Amino acid sequence: MNRKKVVRRALDGRPTPVYLEIGVKRGAAFRGISADVKVAVDPAFKIPPLYRRLAEAKARETHYFEMTSDDFFATKEDFLEQRRIDVALIDGLHTYGQVLRDVENTLRYLKDDGVIVLHDCNPALESIGYPAESIADFSAQHHWWNLLWSGDVWKAIVHLRSTRDDLRVAVLKCDFGVGIIRKGSPDSRLPYTVEEVEALGYSDLAADRKRLLNLKSPSYVGDFLATERESKR
């Protein structure tokens, strides 16, 4: 199981779905996803022509927005109101603050039965979970052989599980941690204030990751999506 398979599972059975991907890079995920409408957001696309053709062959409409996600949500309200989101993959800047903004902005346009998928929610090593401002900042402080970076995305999971009583949130134990979010009553909550979440460090995650992340086996995605689909009936 990985983020692309989770996205495909979440899209499965939707008649004319809208798919949003934040942090597209070279399009490795975007080109393989089938949806009626596909929306790509990245401040610097590096998608080869072949990948673009493959991506566009799997959608009726394909839209590319070369801008930051903050700018996208600030300037494309009408576009998003006309294309409410079924499934979103958020895999952009790996910082707690940015991922939280991306999730909260996406929720404004997410259908009631929609699903948000997050990448890099469960860093296995402290170096992978190093909190940096950018990949360049991270790279400058680590050796070339140690450049896997998930940042502190995991804190966005803890934040949402502590502050939102209208979301179901969990992390699948695969592919550097695949977060899954949908609207609905949570199966469990965390007690932290925003200030306490901000103060958490990697040692806190390492000591208690199963509870903090609501960490689940990859097979849990079936139960998560089955519950989501049941809510549509």
Side-chain angles (χ1 to χ4, degrees):
M1 186 65 70
N2 57 38
R3 62 196 182 282
K4 291 179 279 188
K5 291 181 179 179
V6 172
V7 166
R8 292 190 189 105
R9 290 280 298 271
L11 285 166
D12 186 45
R14 296 173 184 262
T16 55
V18 175
Y19 170 64
L20 168 67
E21 185 170 316
I22 295 173
V24 177
K25 305 178 184 69
R26 290 176 51 84
F30 194 71
R31 67 187 171 97
I33 301 300
S34 297
D36 187 54
V37 177
K38 292 165 55 173
V39 182
V41 179
D42 196 291
F45 287 119
K46 298 180 180 178
I47 308 175
L50 173 60
Y51 283 16
R52 283 197 182 238
R53 292 195 296 272
L54 292 171
E56 291 161 12
K58 295 186 175 183
R60 181 178 58 83
E61 293 180 22
T62 308
H63 301 270
Y64 299 92
F65 294 94
E66 192 167 60
M67 58 180 63
T68 66
S69 55
D70 288 340
D71 287 345
F72 172 70
F73 286 111
T75 61
K76 303 301 177 185
E77 295 97 332
D78 291 344
F79 175 89
L80 287 162
E81 287 290 356
Q82 295 169 17
R83 298 168 180 83
R84 307 291 290 188
I85 300 163
D86 288 89
V87 179
L89 171 61
I90 297 175
D91 192 13
L93 183 60
H94 296 165
T95 67
Y96 159 44
Q98 185 62 61
V99 171
L100 185 62
R101 287 198 303 277
D102 287 343
V103 170
E104 291 176 338
N105 281 325
T106 299
L107 284 167
R108 290 162 47 203
Y109 302 101
L110 189 71
K111 293 179 181 177
D112 288 343
D113 62 346
V115 177
I116 298 174
V117 179
L118 304 181
H119 193 213
D120 293 290
C121 297
N122 185 27
L125 300 172
E126 186 171 9
S127 60
I128 299 174
Y130 186 84
E133 293 301 313
S134 66
I135 185 62
D137 178 29
F138 173 81
S139 299
Q141 302 182 58
H142 290 79
H143 296 296
W144 65 267
W145 61 83
N146 195 18
L147 291 183
L148 293 173
W149 184 51
S150 294
D152 53 1
V153 173
W154 63 272
K155 291 173 70 170
I157 296 291
V158 177
H159 180 112
L160 293 167
R161 296 192 60 231
S162 298
T163 63
R164 299 289 296 254
D165 61 4
D166 59 340
L167 298 177
R168 290 195 65 191
V169 182
V171 174
L172 304 177
K173 193 176 181 181
C174 58
D175 194 16
F176 295 91
V178 177
I180 44 179
I181 301 169
R182 73 169 186 84
K183 298 175 183 178
S185 299
D187 52 7
S188 63
R189 299 276 313 275
L190 292 172
Y192 302 109
T193 65
V194 172
E195 292 75 18
E196 288 171 333
V197 175
E198 291 173 347
L200 293 173
Y202 185 82
S203 61
D204 299 296
L205 175 67
D208 202 12
R209 70 176 70 232
K210 184 174 182 179
R211 183 182 69 92
L212 290 177
L213 300 180
N214 196 20
L215 196 61
K216 304 288 188 179
S217 70
S219 63
Y220 174 76
V221 70
D223 293 335
F224 183 88
L225 295 176
T227 305
E228 167 262 319
R229 285 166 182 154
E230 186 67 28
S231 70
K232 294 190 286 186
R233 298 178 181 177

